[in-house]
Amino acid sequence: LVAADNGQVITITTRGVTLNANVFSAGQSVSIYNNSASAQIITSGVGVTMKTTLTNLVGNRTLAAYGLCTILCIASNSFIITGAGVT
């Protein structure tokens, strides 16, 4: 993911995505749609903390086939991920 992805919906079909440090600022977000029949990995890069909503799990997440998620930057290199198909 890159800074220009802020506010966008990114469609993926292979290789997942990586959320790198120092790309987004608090309040910025990106949505990801997995337009494939295979689960994709959303990787939190070095120095990035990515937590799920409700369960507060930390680390890489899996986005199920045809799943949709949103990642919200809540502080410097700290993110919340939520959506249908996120585990």
Side-chain angles (χ1 to χ4, degrees):
L1 298 172
V2 297
D5 293 332
N6 174 46
Q8 303 296 312
V9 175
I10 305 303
T11 300
I12 60 174
T13 57
T14 59
R15 290 183 238 145
V17 295
T18 299
L19 183 58
N20 290 309
N22 303 312
V23 173
F24 296 101
S25 300
Q28 293 183 320
S29 66
V30 62
S31 293
I32 301 168
Y33 172 60
N34 179 7
N35 190 22
S36 77
S38 300
Q40 302 295 319
I41 302 298
I42 300 173
T43 304
S44 51
V46 175
V48 170
T49 300
M50 181 171 55
K51 297 180 182 179
T52 58
T53 55
L54 302 176
T55 60
N56 209 30
L57 297 172
V58 176
N60 298 342
R61 298 289 105 205
T62 299
L63 183 59
Y66 306 107
L68 176 67
C69 71
T70 297
I71 301 171
L72 172 66
C73 181
I74 57 170
S76 177
N77 299 324
S78 183
F79 298 86
I80 297 292
I81 185 170
T82 188
V86 175
T87 56

